[in-house]
Amino acid sequence: MKYYIIAGEASGDLHGSNLIKELKKNNPKANFRCWGGDLMKSQCNDLVMHYEEFSYMGFFEVIININKILDFISICKKDIENYKPDIIIYIDYPGFNMRIAKWAKNKNFTNHFYISPKVWVWKEKRVKLIKKVIDKMYVILPFEEGYYRNKHNYKVDFVGHPLLDAIENEKTFNKKEFIDNNNLSTKPIIALLPGSRDQEINKLLPVMLEAVSNLRNYQIVIAGAPSKSIEYYNKVIRSNDSSGNLVKVICNETYNILRVSTAAIVTSGTATLETALFKVPQVVCYKTSWLSYLIGRLLIPDLKYISLVNIILDKEVVTELIQGDCNKTNLVIELQKILNKKNMSSMFNNYDLLHKMLGGKGASKKTADLIEKYMKN
């Protein structure tokens, strides 16, 4: 069996790597060719392209890089034709993946999609194309199965959220050993999760650092992305003169950082859900170019929430500071709120409900088993 798997960001890389592990258990002789990141590279036979090379965030950023993106799409199509996979598995990243899927269906390739595009937020017209070109869809949010079935008469499989697997698969944690190995103090920790893309980090990390600059009773730890060096973050820290704390950078240990954190400031994305599953109070931030933001507001005028925590629970559990609201003053105010024990307790109760709604462990295995069953039939 020859698998071709495409993921375009850090979360897709994580879930893609765990899916490959399960597919290998079912078929040890399978071959994999992938677009993804370091985690998928460790599991697949060939990594064609790292997501940092072809992934862009924001409408304006996509527009100015459109020629590069089209070149990557062309490279991907040619590579698929040369490889001739038995099945192509797309992991989220719909702007790129749906273009490939449409072409691949015309070439008679089998298309499976793992982690649905957020068509219930915007671009609902994509459902028509999904029904036409995607042979099987595996969804990870509890309301998506009913959305597709009831509103669009399209059968999908709800497999649960793969983050539960990723967290469960982590090695046994020793708090004292982690603190000692990273030269951390005994002060309570506030974690900063500025995202994994350069654009996110450069826009959000300076604001985060400003917000925590006067918190002398806390230790500030930046959760660095696996693909970034500590020096990369230190350059941002050095250019931010208002940071009065000694800031620690620890790369590729986000889960362990969350395990020891009292609170967190988190860039909108999968990290908000990860933070909730580790029961860490959080403030959610998001900033992009003003042009991208304005286009986004025009295209999605009725969007209630941007963080997965609030979207799944359909209420404001975590505060979202977006664009102009994402500033030092607001961050300081909201951080003080979540450090209040009464507010923490309320947030934890909602986190428990969120955990129950996500469908339990085993998403990667369920998906791998369903893929194998489909291919056998």
Side-chain angles (χ1 to χ4, degrees), residues 215-227:
L215 297 178
R216 308 299 180 191
N217 295 325
Y218 293 88
Q219 187 172 193
I220 311 305
V221 178
I222 296 172
S227 56

Side-chain angles (χ1 to χ4, degrees), residues 102-377:
K102 183 179 178 181
W103 166 86
K105 190 63 179 176
N106 289 331
K107 294 288 184 178
N108 294 317
F109 288 105
T110 298
N111 288 331
H112 285 209
F113 214 111
Y114 179 40
I115 306 178
S116 168
K118 296 176 179 62
V119 288
W120 32 269
V121 176
W122 79 301
K123 285 197 174 182
E124 191 170 18
K125 63 182 181 181
R126 271 187 177 147
V127 177
K128 186 177 180 180
L129 180 60
I130 287 170
K131 292 173 70 174
K132 187 177 179 181
V133 305
I134 301 301
D135 298 295
K136 286 295 291 182
M137 171 73 77
Y138 309 103
V139 302
I140 66 171
L141 298 177
F143 57 82
E144 289 177 314
E145 186 175 21
Y147 167 83
Y148 275 109
R149 181 184 64 247
N150 299 331
K151 192 169 184 181
H152 296 286
N153 193 31
Y154 180 58
K155 185 182 182 303
V156 301
D157 289 291
F158 173 57
V159 294
H161 205 292
L163 271 182
L164 298 174
D165 294 345
I167 292 169
E168 180 71 18
N169 291 339
E170 285 286 294
K171 62 187 177 183
T172 304
F173 180 66
N174 184 310
K175 181 177 179 180
K176 184 179 184 306
E177 187 177 290
F178 177 76
I179 288 172
D180 291 344
N181 288 345
N182 290 286
N183 297 315
L184 299 175
S185 73
T186 56
K187 291 181 180 179
I189 292 170
I190 293 178
L192 306 182
L193 281 68
S196 59
R197 294 184 178 97
D198 290 357
Q199 295 163 250
E200 294 173 319
I201 296 165
N202 291 329
K203 280 191 176 293
L204 288 164
L205 185 53
V207 184
M208 292 179 176
L209 289 168
E210 281 188 293
V212 298
S213 61
N214 294 317
L215 297 178
R216 308 299 180 191
N217 295 325
Y218 293 88
Q219 187 172 193
I220 311 305
V221 178
I222 296 172
S227 56
K228 297 283 187 291
S229 67
I230 290 176
E231 180 54 30
Y232 174 88
Y233 292 95
N234 284 335
K235 284 181 181 178
V236 180
I237 294 169
R238 286 195 295 268
S239 65
N240 190 71
D241 296 332
S242 65
S243 179
N245 276 321
L246 180 62
V247 180
K248 188 80 177 177
V249 183
I250 303 175
C251 290
N252 200 22
E253 295 244 34
T254 299
Y255 288 0
N256 287 338
I257 293 168
L258 289 173
R259 283 186 171 98
V260 299
S261 294
T262 299
I265 303 176
V266 187
T267 298
S268 179
T270 304
T272 63
L273 196 52
E274 291 171 320
T275 303
L277 292 174
F278 280 103
K279 297 193 74 170
V280 179
Q282 63 181 302
V283 181
V284 176
C285 299
Y286 181 75
K287 242 183 184 183
T288 185
S289 67
W290 274 104
L291 180 57
S292 290
Y293 175 71
L294 291 172
I295 293 171
R297 293 307 300 172
L298 287 170
L299 291 174
I300 325 172
D302 300 322
L303 181 64
K304 288 167 65 178
Y305 308 114
I306 62 167
S307 70
L308 283 170
V309 176
N310 292 345
I311 289 170
I312 295 169
L313 291 170
D314 196 25
K315 60 181 177 179
E316 188 178 24
V317 174
V318 297
T319 298
E320 301 174 349
L321 298 177
I322 306 170
Q323 210 62 15
D325 290 335
C326 182
N327 57 54
K328 176 184 177 180
T329 301
N330 288 341
L331 269 174
V332 169
I333 291 170
E334 296 302 327
L335 195 55
Q336 292 297 335
K337 286 181 183 177
I338 64 171
L339 289 170
N340 178 287
K341 287 189 177 180
K342 183 179 178 181
N343 293 331
M344 277 188 186
S345 178
S346 174
M347 194 175 286
F348 290 158
N349 289 336
N350 282 299
Y351 281 175
D352 288 339
L353 176 60
L354 175 73
H355 196 287
K356 291 176 183 176
M357 291 176 67
L358 290 177
K361 298 177 290 186
S364 304
K365 184 180 187 317
K366 288 174 192 171
T367 306
D369 289 346
L370 287 167
I371 290 170
E372 183 183 34
K373 181 180 178 182
Y374 179 94
M375 296 306 289
K376 281 182 177 178
N377 291 337

Side-chain angles (χ1 to χ4, degrees), residues 7-10 13 35-38 49-55 196 226-227:
E9 53 197 351
D13 180 44
W35 291 53
D38 296 337
M49 196 80 65
H50 198 288
Y51 66 79
E52 288 215 325
E53 296 184 56
F54 67 92
S55 179
S196 59
S227 56

